[in-house]
Amino acid sequence: MRHIIFVSNEHKAWMNQLLPWINILREKFRDFNWDFVNINTVKHLRTNDLVVLYGDPHVIDYPKIHSKNVIVMHDTPLFDCDIYKENPDWLWLPSSRLNKEIIEECGTKNYGDILHKPMIIPDVGEVEKRFDYVVNLTQPFRKGDDKLAKILKQVQREVSMLLIMPKSNWKNFENIKNVKITFREPKYKNYTDVLIEMKSAKTMIFPSYIEGIGLPPIEAYKLGVDIIMSDGSAHNEFVRGVMVPTVDIDAVIEPNLKKHFMYQYWDEEYMYKVIEDDIHEKPTLLEPDVFDAVGLGSKLISYFR
């Protein structure tokens, strides 16, 4: 029996999807032995088994991985070619068209077709609507909260908003008169807890400048929550709603990794108008296979056969 080891760093957004997927793969593909390793808790991963590196390799301690059989389910929006040059034997499977474009721009030859990451979103049932808007941003940079805060200070009508984001960014939302904000840190114990909170809002605002995938809009679709979102990569590949157009693009250095993101700045006047005029719509799903965990597992296995 062949052994497939998923390697990640237990980033919550990834684990919410990966661990249920592994359980499905164990049940449906019993001719493989499926396992998971948290790269943060091992000194070195030396193995002749098949390794799937799941997530953004820039934030996973990939130098620990010593295997000749590595597939990367790749979703980083960073424009950095060094990681491909340092690992020329790895097979890169982009999770979006944006990821594929980055790989090709870097001249990487060892890559496969786009393989979407599965979204396994539990049903949370009926939830009382308590907020007009929800904003769910899990990182303190590149998420567009700086511009969103500026716009909310101009909003004239009274609205309520659930703001889920790192506490370090809450200061951007001080002195906002007409928007009653309830703050939450993205530290929920259970995935269902954050889903219930998101579903308690009528509309999601997703103002991100760039994403490798962008999970919240897909979650909004599954939860039946309306959406206003920036028309940027790669989240616009998966879901459409009220799309706020991009007006400028600039290379911005990520503060910790010192690598470049290609920020896609959206139209502030347009964002203000849709909030002030209460414009929103149900999201449309563009890539339905994100909910086909078995089909995506079969595609992954095909690279190992």
Side-chain angles (χ1 to χ4, degrees):
M1 181 179 291
R2 304 188 78 185
H3 191 186
I4 297 180
I5 304 174
F6 280 93
V7 178
S8 193
N9 66 349
E10 292 201 337
H11 185 284
K12 266 196 172 182
W14 295 334
M15 293 303 100
N16 289 334
Q17 311 303 330
L18 176 57
L19 297 182
W21 191 34
I22 292 175
N23 289 334
I24 291 172
L25 297 176
R26 285 173 178 156
E27 178 65 26
K28 296 296 183 180
F29 302 100
R30 298 188 177 186
D31 50 337
F32 289 88
N33 184 17
W34 303 89
D35 204 355
F36 169 74
V37 170
N38 178 2
I39 197 64
N40 293 338
T41 61
V42 296
K43 292 183 178 179
H44 298 284
L45 183 63
R46 294 185 180 277
T47 178
N48 291 320
D49 293 316
L50 310 175
V51 173
V52 179
L53 184 57
Y54 188 94
D56 184 345
H58 293 87
V59 295
I60 295 175
D61 194 3
Y62 66 86
K64 290 182 177 180
I65 300 171
H66 302 276
S67 174
K68 295 181 179 179
N69 303 302
V70 178
I71 285 179
V72 187
M73 293 188 68
H74 178 45
D75 67 357
T76 180
L78 281 166
F79 284 76
D80 171 37
C81 297
D82 291 342
I83 193 169
Y84 309 112
K85 296 174 183 177
E86 293 166 0
N87 303 282
D89 296 329
W90 291 4
L91 177 63
W92 300 84
L93 299 182
S95 295
S96 66
R97 293 194 301 274
L98 172 67
N99 300 140
K100 187 174 182 180
E101 289 168 4
I102 295 172
I103 289 171
E104 292 176 339
E105 183 70 22
C106 289
T108 310
K109 296 180 179 179
N110 197 23
Y111 68 95
D113 293 330
I114 293 173
L115 180 64
H116 293 137
K117 289 187 173 178
M119 293 291 292
I120 302 169
I121 303 174
D123 182 7
V124 297
E126 294 296 321
V127 176
E128 179 186 359
K129 297 296 183 184
R130 298 184 293 116
F131 302 97
D132 295 304
Y133 297 103
V134 61
V135 180
N136 184 14
L137 307 174
T138 57
Q139 297 183 18
F141 53 88
R142 72 172 170 84
K143 296 294 185 176
D145 57 285
D146 51 343
K147 281 195 174 187
L148 180 62
K150 176 183 174 182
I151 288 167
L152 294 180
K153 291 175 182 179
Q154 303 172 35
V155 171
Q156 298 301 307
R157 68 186 186 97
E158 294 186 356
V159 298
S160 58
M161 176 176 289
L162 174 62
L163 192 59
I164 306 170
M165 64 165 44
K167 196 170 184 177
S168 59
N169 289 38
W170 290 5
K171 62 182 181 295
N172 293 335
F173 294 83
E174 295 175 350
N175 302 316
I176 295 178
K177 294 182 179 180
N178 294 322
V179 181
K180 182 180 179 181
I181 298 177
T182 299
F183 291 96
R184 296 276 195 276
E185 288 192 84
K187 296 181 178 180
Y188 295 87
K189 291 183 178 180
N190 301 306
Y191 187 33
T192 53
D193 292 340
V194 67
L195 293 175
I196 289 170
E197 290 252 275
M198 286 194 290
K199 195 171 182 179
S200 69
K202 298 175 184 176
T203 302
M204 173 181 286
I205 300 176
F206 193 68
S208 182
Y209 296 140
I210 191 167
E211 294 288 329
I213 299 174
L215 304 186
I218 303 175
E219 292 166 334
Y221 168 82
K222 191 69 173 180
L223 294 170
V225 174
D226 288 4
I227 192 160
I228 301 165
M229 58 186 283
S230 56
D231 195 2
S233 305
H235 44 289
N236 62 0
E237 298 180 27
F238 296 89
V239 171
R240 305 289 291 183
V242 175
M243 309 302 290
V244 181
T246 298
V247 294
D248 194 17
I249 298 176
D250 191 21
V252 178
I253 295 179
E254 194 278 331
N256 297 316
L257 299 173
K258 308 302 180 185
K259 306 293 185 181
H260 283 93
F261 285 112
M262 197 62 66
Y263 277 26
Q264 300 159 83
Y265 293 107
W266 38 263
D267 189 327
E268 295 181 48
E269 290 185 6
Y270 194 96
M271 179 70 84
Y272 169 77
K273 178 177 175 56
V274 297
I275 295 174
E276 189 67 79
D277 294 348
D278 193 20
I279 298 171
H280 48 88
E281 65 181 54
K282 293 292 182 186
T284 300
L285 184 68
L286 303 181
E287 298 288 356
D289 77 333
V290 296
F291 296 122
D292 183 9
V294 174
L296 293 172
S298 181
K299 289 181 181 179
L300 175 64
I301 290 171
S302 70
Y303 286 98
F304 285 129
R305 292 195 185 279

